[in-house]
Amino acid sequence: MPSQNSRLLLKHMLKKFLESKDEWILLGYFVDIRYIAVAIDGKYFLTDAHIYLSPISPTTGGYFEIVTDKICIGRKQLSFNKKSDYDSLISNAIDGFIVVNNRTMILPGDDSLSHYSEMARRDAWELQLHLKIGRNQFPPIQSAELIEFDNILRLSTPPFDGLTDVASILNLRMPGGYADPPAINISVGPPVDLRLIECNLNNDKLYLSLVTHSAFDISKLSLLIRAMPDSDLSLRMHVTNQIRWAEVQGDTRKGYAEIELPGAHGALVTVMNGTMLVRRQWFLDGARTSNRRLLALETFDSDKQNMHSAIFTTQDSATFEKGIANLMFVLGFSVTSLINKDAPDLVLATPQGKLIVLESTLRTSDFANKIGKLYDRKRALSKKLQQNNSPDIVYSILVCALPKDQIVTNADDIKVSDTILLAREDLIEATNRMKTLNDPDSFIEMAQQRASYGLTISENNKML
């Protein structure tokens, strides 16, 4: 059970979510609702659902719904003309149910609802308003029922190759395949943020580009800078008043700033919306780096944007894998991508000879498969090393593009496979460390020594 201190923190974050949502959710915000529900005694009970609210229009063509007397699965995209409609959507979710197409889907059980928020993390690099509502375990589903659900989905329009396929598309947990309780997640994107692809530090000047929702009150924005090296306080400053704002165009408004930072090798930029953090982001002057590997990358990957996009924005798994390979190279690992398809995505080596097998994924639906592959391939390599009378310790890393609050996995599986889990937050932190020389051996050792490493998702997502 969470400690009393944890309970108080999560209660505070719930209060903060409710207080902040009106400053974040503006008229015209887009809503993306994804859900999987199972029918029991004529009622639809949610196994998983996620409500995304964003200032940016979601990709088109993603709407569908499959409804039978057994299951209700779908995705709906919409926006509202009244703030009260957004309030009702969130209020319903906090009460444990959602209504889509006049159809009510509820969390199972009679116990009190419980809450968790990723906003309780102090070390966040980027932040959305987040709230997770859960209650109880889902009633057991028999294998025969799961097979029936799979075949219903294969015959549906559009067709899906069973629960695994549709859960992967929706980025939700599938019924019967997880240990955590059913939940409704609410994620609210910020109404203002940096346009990272247009920001850089070069020759003592920091170039920043921002974008806001058209209805955002720019007086709520605070932009702060901390430059390195910071031998005195002169390179710590508020620079909100240096932003030049363009006229509103459609749903957005852009702003630009050019800030003099004499002698700066790096700059930490912080974006605040009122009293809430939106983003902390390091920008590094590549011409002043001591990391020769970073120089090599930047020679052929201008401003690191190709790598950044490959890691943080792509929806293509092969591109994501290449981005991770680039990052690991810059962090000091020797990296190889094997030709054989029946092999890890990447094999890494450290200067001291540690060997690491690595798998990467954009979604959580194939976690069990990825963990199983890592376990088998680590054992196969360890056995080969034993036969060669070499040290047979092999490490494994599972990299996921999603933030920790969206990753649901079984802690026991991670423990058995002794796998290091790197989520989106870890990747952001790693990219922020690229400018300096890194020690891959220390990276692996510290990851292994942290008792909670790779387990924070399952163990910290316990409810109030």
Side-chain angles (χ1 to χ4, degrees):
M1 293 294 293
S3 66
Q4 181 65 20
N5 187 50
S6 297
R7 290 173 182 270
L8 292 174
L9 175 60
L10 291 178
K11 287 180 179 178
H12 169 73
M13 297 317 299
L14 173 59
K15 180 182 178 183
K16 193 68 176 176
F17 176 93
L18 295 173
E19 291 174 348
S20 301
K21 65 180 179 65
D22 290 333
E23 292 185 356
W24 284 54
I25 303 172
L26 306 175
L27 278 180
Y29 251 52
F30 295 94
V31 180
D32 188 333
I33 309 174
R34 308 177 188 198
Y35 49 93
I36 298 178
V38 174
I40 301 176
D41 296 331
K43 295 182 179 180
Y44 288 109
F45 291 94
L46 289 166
T47 66
D48 201 15
H50 205 135
I51 301 171
Y52 299 89
L53 295 103
S54 169
I56 301 173
S57 173
T59 55
T60 58
Y63 167 74
F64 71 92
E65 187 175 58
I66 299 165
V67 183
T68 72
D69 60 349
K70 302 289 185 180
I71 56 174
C72 181
I73 300 175
R75 178 183 183 185
K76 184 164 187 178
Q77 301 167 342
L78 67 157
S79 61
F80 298 122
N81 295 319
K82 297 185 295 183
K83 278 299 276 294
S84 59
D85 291 331
Y86 293 101
D87 293 338
S88 295
L89 175 69
I90 291 176
S91 177
N92 290 344
I94 292 175
D95 287 339
F97 69 95
I98 61 174
V99 180
V100 181
N101 298 330
N102 297 318
R103 193 174 294 104
T104 300
M105 291 165 275
I106 62 177
L107 291 173
D110 300 317
D111 294 349
S112 299
L113 291 165
S114 49
H115 303 88
Y116 164 79
S117 177
E118 189 67 17
M119 295 158 56
R121 293 179 55 250
R122 292 185 58 201
D123 58 347
W125 288 97
E126 57 182 357
L127 193 66
Q128 297 181 334
L129 292 187
H130 171 255
L131 188 64
K132 179 178 179 180
I133 305 100
R135 179 168 57 196
N136 288 353
Q137 294 284 343
F138 199 87
I141 300 177
Q142 302 300 318
S143 296
E145 294 178 279
L146 296 174
I147 292 171
E148 184 178 3
F149 298 162
D150 287 338
N151 289 328
I152 289 172
L153 290 166
R154 292 182 179 113
L155 294 172
S156 68
T157 302
F160 294 94
D161 188 24
L163 289 167
T164 300
D165 184 26
V166 75
S168 175
I169 293 296
L170 295 174
N171 193 26
L172 296 175
R173 300 168 296 169
M174 66 178 187
Y178 54 89
D180 282 5
I184 302 171
N185 277 278
I186 306 171
S187 299
V188 183
V192 58
D193 203 353
L194 295 172
R195 289 175 54 84
L196 296 178
I197 199 168
E198 296 181 0
C199 301
N200 68 85
L201 174 64
N202 185 35
N203 292 329
D204 299 337
K205 285 188 178 181
L206 178 63
Y207 301 90
L208 297 177
S209 174
L210 299 98
V211 63
T212 78
H213 187 274
S214 57
F216 177 66
D217 180 359
I218 59 175
S219 69
K220 303 284 188 181
L221 170 67
S222 294
L223 189 63
L224 307 90
I225 305 293
R226 169 199 168 196
M228 295 290 290
D230 56 350
S231 54
D232 57 41
L233 299 180
S234 63
L235 295 183
R236 294 171 179 258
M237 61 189 83
H238 291 263
V239 294
T240 315
N241 60 357
Q242 297 190 41
I243 302 172
R244 306 183 310 277
W245 292 105
E247 296 296 322
V248 171
Q249 292 187 344
D251 296 327
T252 63
R253 184 181 190 182
K254 294 182 179 179
Y256 305 91
E258 185 177 313
I259 299 140
E260 297 282 348
L261 296 176
H265 293 193
L268 177 63
V269 179
T270 301
V271 181
M272 302 280 291
N273 176 20
T275 61
M276 290 289 294
L277 174 70
V278 172
R279 180 181 297 277
R280 298 157 59 224
Q281 181 71 43
W282 278 101
F283 295 99
L284 309 173
D285 189 337
R288 292 173 173 169
T289 181
S290 57
N291 189 341
R292 291 165 56 86
R293 290 171 177 249
L294 179 58
L295 287 174
L297 178 69
E298 290 184 332
T299 300
F300 305 105
D301 189 8
S302 177
D303 294 330
K304 304 186 295 300
Q305 296 306 331
N306 289 337
M307 186 190 74
H308 189 278
S309 298
I311 294 175
F312 296 110
T313 65
T314 188
Q315 295 300 312
D316 178 69
S317 58
T319 301
F320 180 62
E321 180 184 319
K322 289 180 181 179
I324 297 302
N326 284 352
L327 176 60
M328 293 300 169
F329 169 77
V330 173
L331 293 178
F333 292 90
S334 297
V335 185
T336 186
S337 177
L338 301 176
I339 298 172
N340 189 350
K341 291 184 178 180
D342 189 20
D345 291 342
L346 300 171
V347 176
L348 315 178
T350 70
Q352 293 182 14
K354 292 183 177 69
L355 292 176
I356 305 101
V357 292
L358 183 148
E359 291 281 342
S360 59
T361 181
L362 293 169
R363 300 185 176 95
T364 60
S365 56
D366 58 348
F367 252 51
N369 181 46
K370 288 286 187 180
I371 292 173
K373 285 182 178 180
L374 282 171
Y375 184 70
D376 291 341
R377 289 162 179 173
K378 183 167 68 171
R379 287 183 61 190
L381 179 53
S382 179
K383 184 177 180 180
K384 194 71 172 180
L385 291 170
Q386 285 179 351
Q387 294 172 354
N388 198 43
N389 295 319
S390 298
D392 61 348
I393 297 178
V394 179
Y395 301 86
S396 58
I397 295 177
L398 178 58
V399 181
C400 184
L402 297 174
K404 291 178 181 177
D405 69 292
Q406 295 183 32
I407 298 175
V408 180
T409 188
N410 191 324
D412 291 336
D413 291 340
I414 296 286
K415 287 179 180 178
V416 169
S417 62
D418 197 23
T419 293
I420 297 167
L421 177 62
L422 300 182
R424 182 181 178 90
E425 296 91 334
D426 303 302
L427 298 176
I428 293 173
E429 186 172 355
T431 58
N432 288 336
R433 289 165 35 191
M434 291 192 304
K435 177 178 178 290
T436 58
L437 295 175
N438 290 277
D439 182 356
D441 289 283
S442 295
F443 177 92
I444 296 297
E445 290 166 6
M446 291 176 63
Q448 288 294 109
Q449 288 170 4
R450 279 181 57 183
S452 64
Y453 206 92
L455 306 178
T456 53
I457 298 98
S458 295
E459 294 183 353
N460 288 351
N461 274 15
K462 294 176 180 176
M463 305 293 185
L464 288 172

